[in-house]
Amino acid sequence: MTPTITLVQGDITEQSADAVVNAANSSLLGGGGVDGAIHRRGGPAILEDCRRLRAARYGKGLPTGQAVATTAGELDARWVIHTVGPVHSREEDRSELLASCYRESLRVADDLGARTVAFPAVSTGVYGWPMDDAARIAIETVRTTRTSVEEIRFVLFDRRAYEAFARQMG
């Protein structure tokens, strides 16, 4: 079964989903943008889980393009799937790493049994990925990744991001 892909303009921390994807930094200890918002809104339980992951498996941090799940704390979700997007570079094509964020997040969602997943536009904030290209990679990747997830929801913070993703939807 092919998942339904929907677009929403809004705040990802207000979404009701089985899993909310966090555009995390490799430390897993919170940061700015989506990462900071998820940690603030979800409360201290998320940070506690992230600290446990750092102590147990990710002493040097979560590698770029990978994904790992924690509790969702006080968010209206069961899990937060943390993924580390690549910083955009004009000298090096890092598109595969960005695509990997979406594939790996869906793999983790499948392992958890999640049916609905809310994604932000990974790497488009301080990591500087151009929105149109990020939208193309995100939409192409989730369309071509085998998953048991039934609904993939892109939660886009502003009109510009929403319109970029809408253009890629066709």
Side-chain angles (χ1 to χ4, degrees), residues 23-26 64 83-89 122-130:
N25 65 50
S26 64
T64 302
T83 190
V84 180
V87 174
H88 183 260
S89 170
V122 176
S123 286
T124 60
V126 296
Y127 287 8
W129 207 283

Side-chain angles (χ1 to χ4, degrees), residues 76-128:
D76 189 8
R78 294 176 66 189
W79 304 284
V80 173
I81 298 173
H82 306 265
T83 190
V84 180
V87 174
H88 183 260
S89 170
R90 291 175 194 230
E91 291 78 40
E92 179 185 353
D93 181 6
R94 298 179 179 165
S95 301
E96 183 51 37
L97 282 171
L98 183 55
S100 179
C101 291
Y102 293 98
R103 274 195 307 274
E104 287 297 305
S105 294
L106 289 172
R107 180 190 59 74
V108 169
D110 283 343
D111 289 349
L112 294 168
R115 294 290 172 246
T116 56
V117 177
F119 279 101
V122 176
S123 286
T124 60
V126 296
Y127 287 8

Side-chain angles (χ1 to χ4, degrees), residues 30-95:
V34 169
D35 193 19
I38 284 175
H39 275 271
R40 279 190 303 279
R41 185 83 175 248
I46 296 172
L47 183 57
E48 289 171 22
D49 263 11
C50 286
R51 284 191 173 126
R52 279 194 286 277
L53 285 168
R54 283 295 304 266
R57 289 182 52 199
Y58 299 104
K60 295 181 180 177
L62 183 64
T64 302
Q66 297 300 303
V68 66
T70 65
T71 181
E74 297 172 28
L75 297 174
D76 189 8
R78 294 176 66 189
W79 304 284
V80 173
I81 298 173
H82 306 265
T83 190
V84 180
V87 174
H88 183 260
S89 170
R90 291 175 194 230
E91 291 78 40
E92 179 185 353
D93 181 6
R94 298 179 179 165
S95 301

Side-chain angles (χ1 to χ4, degrees), residues 6-12 119-122 124 131 135 153-166:
T6 58
L7 306 179
V8 175
Q9 184 180 333
D11 181 344
I12 197 163
F119 279 101
V122 176
T124 60
M131 189 62 72
R153 187 180 320 142
F154 287 100
V155 184
L156 306 154
F157 190 70
D158 60 22
R159 188 87 200 143
R160 181 179 71 88
Y162 182 90
E163 288 172 355
F165 274 72

